Amino acid sequence: MNDNNPLNVDVCIVGAGPGGALLSYLLNRQGISTALIERQPHLHKSFRGELLNQDGEAVLSKHGLFSGVVQLGALPLEQIQYWENGQIIHTFHPAEGESHVGIHIPQNHLLDFIVSESQNLPHSHEHVLFNTVMTGLLRDKTGKTIGIHIRQNGVPSSIQASVIVGADGRYSAVRKHSGLTPDVRKHGYDLLWARIPAPVGWEPAVRMASMDGQQLALFSQYGGYVQIGWNIPQGSFSSLREQPFAPFVEKLVAAFPCLSDSVAAHIQTWSDFVLLSVESCYSESWTQDNVVLLGDAAHTMTPTGAFGLNAALEDADALSEILTRMASDHFKFTEPLQQLQILRGDKVKQQLARQVEMESSFQQRYESLR
Ligand SMILES: Cc1cc2nc3c(=O)[nH]c(=O)nc-3n(C[C@H](O)[C@H](O)[C@H](O)COP(=O)(O)OP(=O)(O)OC[C@H]3O[C@@H](n4cnc5c(N)ncnc54)[C@H](O)[C@@H]3O)c2cc1C
């Protein structure tokens, strides 16, 4: 592939996160050729959303992927516990008819499985390009979008496609180059994120505590880990990290005393936390002619409630059906792409509103359990 002989596919998907990887697989299965491009050198990026809920599980099951992903390693979480001063003050069990409150699936297991299933299809029409960054839209003389510009291993090139999908996450380059504007919302908090070994014998659960009026959430993870998500006031990290570290981390140990050994061994300085600046967005339009956005590119969610990964999988499922119908007309008409937002927009907006409601009522909910 070079600029004189560019790759030419039906659908070019920018971003091999859960949304892009699943979409590429589903299209490939229908004989629709795809280019799945990813700026990272591999699929193993850390600190991604990894809690699968019923919606995400239903999509994977519908396409026969769920059991294969689980076989690579997954951990169903059995309860949500609320803690205070080192004690459980309330436990929520799975709803009637459900066996868990979410499943931890390492995202590399999910992505590896989907991408390898796709590559192993008997007549694969999928090109997976790592170390490849989308740098702009490729247009013909009339201004029509006919593909994308890329830089692969630093070398400029292009890919031609009938449809371009922006599955490239919260800071989507496809969205930016298409002139689609997101309505960005701050939520008043940022997140400190760390992963440490779980104490031996800890049951798989989500554990919540209130720390200076902010939410502290622990998620058991497959492989014997616990993920810590500690909300701090928005923009406060630079002043916080000028304070002594020990009193801060002691609060974590006071809330969950059984973490003391693991915290002492693995969280020793401010640098042992990753700071995530929290914001959500909703793109007013998800399409521009033959360009369509999905997942975080169309609607970034905050980590609250663990909706984002699942919403990206649902988008990919819906978009694959739309694109499969469009393939029968050789992608002549682009209007059907607008169906994605029509089908998915209301549910996404409800989830975004639910996140705000969960965030603002956390302290009240917590106090009502005392
Ligand atoms: C701290 C945190 C915790 C979360 N926890 C959960 C959770 O437990 N459950 C849940 O459901 N959701 C969670 N989420 C949300 C979830 O991670 C996202 O909603 C989900 O990953 C979105 O998937 P996606 O496929 O749309 O995009 P992404 O997963 O963001 O994938 C986009 C991909 O595009 C690539 N890319 C970006 N730009 C370019 C470019 N120009 N060229 C080529 N490639 C590019 C990126 O490298 C990336 O691989 C969490 C989010 C955060 C920040």
Side-chain angles (χ1 to χ4, degrees), residues 162-176:
S162 301
V163 174
I164 293 101
V165 179
D168 50 343
R170 53 176 16 201
Y171 303 118
S172 171
V174 175
R175 186 179 68 207
K176 189 179 110 198

Side-chain angles (χ1 to χ4, degrees), residues 79 112 138 191 265 308 344:
Q79 341 180 305
D112 277 348
L138 179 67
L191 195 69
R344 294 276 306 130

Side-chain angles (χ1 to χ4, degrees), residues 61-333:
S61 297
K62 173 179 167 187
H63 296 294
L65 295 165
F66 180 67
S67 57
V69 173
V70 167
Q71 271 169 28
L72 290 184
L75 182 70
L77 307 189
E78 293 161 3
Q79 341 180 305
I80 302 175
Q81 303 169 351
Y82 281 74
W83 285 58
E84 186 166 58
N85 298 325
Q87 307 284 332
I88 300 174
I89 55 168
H90 195 85
T91 302
F92 288 100
H93 297 280
E96 182 86 31
E98 291 172 8
S99 58
H100 55 75
V101 295
I103 306 178
H104 175 251
I105 297 195
Q107 211 174 92
N108 58 334
H109 290 186
L110 178 74
L111 298 177
D112 277 348
F113 186 74
I114 294 174
V115 172
S116 66
E117 283 292 288
S118 193
Q119 293 283 293
N120 290 336
L121 286 172
H123 303 288
S124 177
H125 305 272
E126 181 189 58
H127 304 260
V128 183
L129 280 64
F130 290 108
N131 273 323
T132 304
V133 188
M134 182 269 192
T135 53
L137 292 171
L138 179 67
R139 299 185 194 272
D140 68 10
K141 285 184 191 135
T142 66
K144 183 173 174 248
T145 303
I146 54 165
I148 61 168
H149 292 287
I150 56 170
R151 219 179 2 254
Q152 188 178 24
N153 296 313
V155 180
S157 184
S158 59
I159 298 175
Q160 294 191 359
S162 301
V163 174
I164 293 101
V165 179
D168 50 343
R170 53 176 16 201
Y171 303 118
S172 171
V174 175
R175 186 179 68 207
K176 189 179 110 198
H177 288 288
S178 310
L180 295 168
T181 41
D183 183 10
V184 179
R185 175 177 195 153
K186 291 284 185 186
H187 288 245
Y189 72 97
D190 292 327
L191 195 69
L192 295 184
W193 203 239
R195 190 171 90 129
I196 59 174
V200 176
W202 247 25
E203 65 272 83
V206 181
R207 294 171 173 81
M208 301 282 193
S210 175
M211 201 56 73
D212 305 326
Q214 301 273 352
Q215 178 178 302
L216 170 64
L218 309 187
F219 299 88
S220 299
Q221 291 201 321
Y222 172 80
Y225 290 94
V226 57
Q227 182 91 59
I228 299 165
W230 191 338
N231 294 8
I232 57 168
Q234 183 187 316
S236 66
F237 191 53
S238 51
S239 56
L240 192 61
R241 62 180 302 159
E242 282 171 8
Q243 315 291 318
F245 181 68
F248 182 77
V249 85
E250 272 162 19
K251 293 186 202 175
L252 172 61
V253 175
F256 298 101
C258 29
L259 284 185
S260 67
D261 289 350
S262 193
V263 168
H266 298 277
I267 309 187
Q268 294 167 350
T269 72
W270 292 111
S271 313
D272 291 324
F273 283 111
V274 173
L275 173 71
L276 289 161
S277 136
V278 173
E279 62 185 35
S280 64
C281 83
Y282 186 88
S283 186
E284 201 176 313
S285 172
W286 299 8
T287 53
Q288 175 69 54
D289 301 325
N290 55 346
V291 178
V292 59
L293 307 176
L294 65 68
D296 272 21
H299 47 73
T300 306
M301 300 192 176
T302 73
T304 305
F307 295 121
L309 153 70
N310 300 280
L313 295 175
E314 287 188 283
D315 285 357
D317 180 32
L319 184 57
S320 74
E321 290 181 13
I322 295 167
L323 287 166
T324 301
R325 285 196 295 275
M326 287 172 68
S328 58
D329 286 330
H330 306 287
F331 302 98
K332 207 157 129 206
F333 307 105

